[in-house]
Amino acid sequence: MQNYLIPSEISWLSFNNCILDEADDINNSLYERIKFLAIHSSNLDEFFRVKIRKLLIKKSKKNKDLLDKILSEVNLQQNRFGAVWNNSILPELRANNIVYYENQELIEEHLHEIEYYFKSIILSYIQVIYISVNHPKTYFLNNRSLYFLVKLKDSAGNYNYAYLNIPSDKLDRYKQLQSQGDTHYIISIDTIIRNCLPFIFPTGKVVACYAIKLNRDENYLIEDENSDLIAKIEAKIEERKRGSSTRFLYDANMDPETISVCKKAFRLNNNEMIKGGTHHNFYDLFKFPNPLKPNLQEANYPGLKHMPFESSKSIFEIIDKQNQLLHFPYQSYYYVLQFFNQAAINRNVLEIKITLYRISSQSLIANALISAAKNGKKVTVFVEVKARFDEYNNLFWSREMKNAGIKIIQSMPNLKVHAKVAMVTMKDKYGNKKNYSYLSTGNFNESTANVYSDFGFFTSEKKYADDLKKVFAFLKTKKKAEPPKDILAAGFNMKDQLIKLIDHEIENKKADKEAAIFLKVNGVDEKDIIDKLIEASKAGVEVTMIVRGICTLLPGIKNVSENIKIYRIVDMFLEHSRIYRFANNGQEKIYLSSADMLSRNLNRRIEVAFPLYDEMHIEEINKIIQFQLEDNTKKRIINSEGNNELDVLNIDVPRRAQTEVYNWIAEDQ
């Protein structure tokens, strides 16, 4: 029987290959394609920072085989990346009178301009370190930073080596030069430095200059979270800068002698060394200048109004009348900000509680909470200081809010709080307390809300508030009382309840009742859930899944997962919302959630999945599911080998879910 599982690392790389598909799709605008190259580079960089070290240190045959497979796939994708950039993106830029200086000679008009910029600006940040070949010692490369390894020849004919930083962390990576007529020119600071190397090495001949970069392991584990957790996290943030090497990227043109010098100087192993191009860190392409803006860019999709909220000055009055479901980024995130801003100044508001997982560096929500505290409201904020790569922001805002008088609860031992929930308590006109709950599939982060596809749900119904009180009580006391009744909460009952819901579909199918399962999530690897979905498939239950990222379950395997269909959608917005739908013999159950079907979500996190009961909202979710399943432009079919195949059926009638969702919501404006 064919194995029905695939390694998570291979599945993830398969997803990242979809990003390259979008970069390679000439139907996308030029700068949208450049953006997808930046996303691919950023994703791959993170992959080597958090997923590879365990394979490097545990040298079993299984790990070695997997690492070989990973590196082979990475090499294929890097070659494809280079082909897209060199054979498609650069020619299209030139066709639009945009010249990107990379390895070609500069025209005379720009030589003085770059020399002036180099001497007056770039040179302020350059540090040169000479490598002693005869007296080797350990040299240090900063994590993710860019460098040149320079091979020099002195007057006696001896070769020497030095490396210098490319200060892309201090300066914009790309600089727009003076246009010449209708032609626009862009150059990287890398290329400026290459052209100005004689100013750095005036006494030696520059024989060669190679781009190098080192990734370090950033996947830390805190074993004892009960003692001074904040100090330990701050120490780990610093430790990341010195973590073990996981990938050394070097120019594929580097000669063998220089490769040997790098190995010794930076103490590298063969399996850490990966050939690359003449430039690294292509995630800087997010800021690649567009002299013709807004031409060559994707159509603009401004956040739409949610008309019920436009009909009253008080957002709470509207929530009182009807539960409200919002669709981001199709609809404006302004209403979430309005919810907290109004709560901060409303004289009847008594208390605000919220969980924060990833906070924007300039968070308007955090500022609203600070204002609420200064206005005399009782504010309690749970901040997940262990949110990877956002620890610094979260620690900063924790201190700012604490200084404003907000009660801060920071992290929990051995658990991450990933739920995205809030509750505002106020007095009604009779003096009674009333709760207004907000539950979401996405973070309280107004920056990512512009590009992440998520749902936000506002309600004043008591049943939601009663369940959220149990979650907040647990976060405060660390003691579990009875589990929530209506919502599913990982850390309480989510996994067990999901298994029961799947079991119920199996029972219905066996009884010839209507049975089907639909899951839209960002990842699937939880073994018990996978086994239960396979059991459902074997029982004849149709299981349909849309999984953006890692999916270790392989569909379509005879007598195992043949009734399971799995798709991916990669488009201009990042698909981030989670939907669980169960046919339930015609009485559909739909949950929206913060939780993926990953082991970390269901076993090591606090998550919330909330049910929808309003028929109008159930219809909305089903409409969105329909749009996505009928997509034949950006939807991929994941086959039984774990590979992606574009769904090109009925391509004579192009269907693109994200634009159709936007237009559908816009019809109500």
Side-chain angles (χ1 to χ4, degrees):
M1 181 181 73
Q2 180 183 344
N3 189 1
Y4 59 86
L5 296 176
I6 187 174
S8 62
E9 295 88 351
I10 299 300
S11 178
W12 186 92
L13 288 170
S14 174
F15 152 69
N16 210 32
N17 202 40
C18 294
I19 305 296
L20 279 183
D21 289 341
E22 293 302 308
D24 202 16
D25 186 351
I26 60 173
N27 294 309
N28 290 329
S29 67
L30 176 57
Y31 274 75
E32 185 77 355
R33 296 172 65 200
I34 292 173
K35 181 194 80 173
F36 277 111
L37 286 180
I39 293 171
H40 182 275
S41 178
S42 177
N43 286 350
L44 196 58
D45 186 82
E46 182 176 336
F47 179 81
F48 276 95
R49 286 183 285 140
V50 300
K51 293 185 181 294
I52 289 297
R53 188 61 188 168
K54 63 182 181 181
L55 298 177
L56 292 173
I57 59 177
K58 296 180 180 179
K59 298 182 179 180
S60 66
K61 185 180 184 306
K62 180 180 178 182
N63 280 357
K64 183 184 183 303
D65 290 345
L66 177 56
L67 184 61
D68 288 345
K69 191 172 182 180
I70 288 169
L71 296 180
S72 175
E73 176 60 26
V74 167
N75 185 57
L76 288 173
Q77 290 192 22
Q78 285 187 166
N79 289 339
R80 185 183 179 201
F81 186 109
V84 172
W85 176 250
N86 290 308
N87 302 334
S88 186
I89 300 296
L90 292 180
E92 192 171 342
L93 283 168
R94 288 193 293 270
N96 285 280
N97 293 325
I98 300 173
V99 173
Y100 174 58
Y101 283 127
E102 197 163 46
N103 299 313
Q104 69 268 50
E105 186 176 346
L106 278 68
I107 62 173
E108 186 175 349
E109 289 83 355
H110 290 140
L111 292 175
H112 177 72
E113 184 177 355
I114 70 159
E115 182 179 324
Y116 177 82
Y117 185 68
F118 173 78
K119 290 181 176 179
S120 61
I121 305 295
I122 296 177
L123 204 50
S124 305
Y125 300 99
I126 296 294
Q127 295 103 42
V128 181
I129 299 174
Y130 287 88
I131 297 173
S132 175
V133 178
N134 296 325
H135 300 89
K137 64 177 184 178
T138 301
Y139 297 87
F140 187 80
L141 298 177
N142 288 324
N143 186 22
R144 306 182 75 198
S145 295
L146 296 173
Y147 296 90
F148 279 140
L149 193 292
V150 183
K151 187 173 184 177
L152 303 161
K153 191 175 185 179
D154 63 21
S155 57
N158 300 313
Y159 290 112
N160 300 293
Y161 299 88
Y163 65 97
L164 59 95
N165 63 310
I166 300 170
S168 58
D169 57 331
K170 306 294 184 183
L171 303 171
D172 287 339
R173 180 80 178 279
Y174 302 103
K175 178 176 174 57
Q176 190 170 333
L177 300 175
Q178 289 293 318
S179 299
Q180 302 296 316
D182 294 331
T183 304
H184 308 280
Y185 294 84
I186 297 167
I187 194 169
S188 69
I189 58 174
D190 317 35
T191 300
I192 293 176
I193 294 171
R194 278 183 188 272
N195 279 271
C196 295
L197 285 176
F199 292 102
I200 302 175
F201 304 103
T203 61
K205 179 184 177 183
V206 176
V207 177
C209 176
Y210 304 110
I212 60 172
K213 170 197 170 179
L214 188 72
N215 279 120
R216 296 184 180 277
D217 181 37
E218 297 191 33
N219 194 14
Y220 65 80
L221 175 67
I222 297 176
E223 294 180 352
D224 179 11
E225 297 183 8
N226 291 297
S227 58
D228 204 354
L229 177 63
I230 303 306
K232 289 188 175 184
I233 289 174
E234 289 176 328
K236 288 295 183 181
I237 293 173
E238 288 301 309
E239 188 179 309
R240 278 180 181 160
K241 299 174 184 178
R242 307 183 301 274
S244 302
S245 58
T246 58
R247 176 177 66 156
F248 180 76
L249 267 177
Y250 64 97
D251 190 326
N253 297 310
M254 186 180 286
D255 63 88
E257 183 181 354
T258 307
I259 291 173
S260 178
V261 169
C262 288
K263 281 185 182 180
K264 291 177 182 177
F266 306 121
R267 293 195 177 182
L268 300 166
N269 297 316
N270 286 334
N271 56 9
E272 296 166 356
M273 302 194 68
I274 297 177
K275 291 181 181 179
T278 56
H279 292 70
H280 305 313
N281 281 11
F282 275 93
Y283 49 74
D284 289 329
L285 288 173
F286 281 119
K287 296 182 179 179
F288 193 77
N290 180 2
L292 304 179
K293 190 176 182 178
N295 293 336
L296 307 181
Q297 295 193 182
E298 198 70 11
N300 189 26
Y301 291 90
L304 299 166
K305 293 179 180 179
H306 182 67
M307 298 314 294
F309 281 149
E310 297 293 325
S311 63
S312 173
K313 292 181 179 179
S314 170
I315 198 168
F316 300 103
E317 287 183 4
I318 301 303
I319 298 169
D320 266 336
K321 294 177 183 177
Q322 170 72 51
N323 295 336
Q324 302 295 325
L325 179 64
L326 270 67
H327 310 277
F328 309 122
Y330 309 103
Q331 292 176 296
S332 174
Y333 199 71
Y334 156 81
Y335 302 107
V336 178
L337 303 178
Q338 184 182 353
F339 178 75
F340 290 104
N341 288 337
Q342 289 192 17
I345 62 170
N346 190 311
R347 63 187 301 179
N348 293 319
V349 169
L350 304 172
E351 186 173 7
I352 303 172
K353 295 178 181 177
I354 186 172
T355 61
L356 295 178
Y357 186 71
R358 296 194 188 277
I359 313 174
S360 171
S361 60
Q362 304 294 324
S363 176
L364 295 172
I365 290 176
N367 279 303
L369 296 171
I370 289 171
S371 295
K374 291 182 176 180
N375 289 334
K377 320 300 182 189
K378 181 181 178 181
V379 182
T380 303
V381 179
F382 184 96
V383 182
E384 182 47 82
V385 294
K386 301 193 296 290
R388 184 188 290 148
F389 305 133
D390 283 277
E391 298 97 336
Y392 180 83
N393 268 349
N394 292 4
L395 285 170
F396 168 80
W397 280 113
S398 293
R399 296 185 182 110
E400 291 291 303
M401 290 187 285
K402 186 176 182 179
N403 291 338
I406 293 174
K407 180 176 176 57
I408 299 294
I409 305 171
Q410 292 175 321
S411 282
M412 300 183 70
N414 306 312
L415 284 173
K416 281 187 179 180
V417 176
H418 191 248
K420 296 90 167 55
V421 293
M423 189 162 62
V424 172
T425 303
M426 68 166 63
K427 294 184 297 184
D428 65 17
K429 60 184 178 181
Y430 304 108
N432 300 316
K433 288 185 178 180
K434 183 156 190 177
N435 296 302
Y436 294 83
S437 303
Y438 176 76
L439 306 97
S440 179
T441 66
N443 297 309
F444 290 100
N445 187 317
E446 58 268 23
S447 299
T448 57
N450 292 321
V451 291
Y452 282 29
S453 171
D454 275 303
F455 301 114
F457 179 68
F458 297 90
T459 181
S460 62
E461 286 193 58
K462 185 174 181 296
K463 58 189 173 187
Y464 291 100
D466 287 346
D467 279 352
L468 283 186
K469 286 177 185 177
K470 296 175 182 176
V471 175
F472 282 116
F474 173 58
L475 298 180
K476 180 179 180 181
T477 66
K478 313 296 189 291
K479 296 178 182 178
K480 295 180 186 177
E482 60 180 308
K485 182 180 178 183
D486 287 277
I487 69 173
L488 311 180
F492 286 85
N493 63 349
M494 181 180 283
K495 181 176 165 181
D496 290 342
Q497 290 299 107
L498 285 170
I499 287 174
K500 286 182 181 178
L501 287 163
I502 298 171
D503 276 333
H504 188 57
E505 296 304 309
I506 294 171
E507 292 166 6
N508 282 343
K509 185 64 178 180
K510 289 178 178 178
D512 289 328
K513 297 178 180 178
E514 187 177 343
I517 298 167
F518 173 86
L519 299 173
K520 179 182 181 294
V521 290
N522 300 322
V524 177
D525 74 2
E526 213 289 329
K527 187 177 185 308
D528 294 333
I529 295 295
I530 287 175
D531 288 345
K532 189 57 64 173
L533 291 173
I534 287 173
E535 184 181 336
S537 171
K538 289 179 177 179
V541 178
E542 287 191 7
V543 179
T544 305
M545 305 166 69
I546 298 177
V547 185
R548 187 192 83 229
I550 289 171
C551 183
T552 60
L553 170 60
L554 295 174
I557 298 173
K558 188 172 179 60
N559 299 324
V560 180
S561 57
E562 59 187 315
N563 289 308
I564 299 177
K565 295 182 176 67
I566 306 179
Y567 305 100
R568 277 194 177 105
I569 293 178
V570 177
D571 202 350
M572 57 185 167
F573 303 132
L574 183 133
E575 289 292 338
H576 192 253
S577 60
R578 293 88 164 180
I579 306 170
Y580 317 151
R581 183 178 71 180
F582 303 92
N584 193 34
N585 193 30
Q587 301 296 311
E588 250 177 11
K589 289 186 176 182
I590 290 183
Y591 295 85
L592 306 181
S593 181
S594 61
D596 296 311
M597 297 296 163
L598 294 170
S599 181
R600 68 185 186 189
N601 295 91
L602 299 182
N603 299 315
R604 302 190 299 276
R605 288 185 174 182
I606 301 297
E607 305 272 12
V608 164
F610 52 96
L612 297 179
Y613 297 108
D614 299 287
E615 192 60 38
M616 174 179 67
H617 295 152
I618 291 172
E619 289 179 4
E620 287 181 23
I621 295 301
N622 281 331
K623 186 71 172 176
I624 288 172
I625 292 172
Q626 180 185 347
F627 282 137
Q628 297 203 326
L629 292 179
E630 292 177 354
D631 188 309
N632 58 14
T633 305
K634 301 297 182 181
K635 185 182 77 188
R636 281 90 172 159
I637 300 168
I638 299 179
N639 63 24
S640 60
E641 302 294 325
N643 298 319
N644 307 283
E645 300 173 352
L646 274 172
D647 185 358
V648 294
L649 296 176
N650 302 316
I651 199 63
D652 291 339
V653 184
R655 304 291 302 275
R656 185 176 177 183
Q658 290 190 355
T659 55
E660 291 194 13
V661 170
Y662 186 90
N663 293 334
W664 168 64
I665 294 173
E667 290 174 0
D668 291 334
Q669 302 293 289

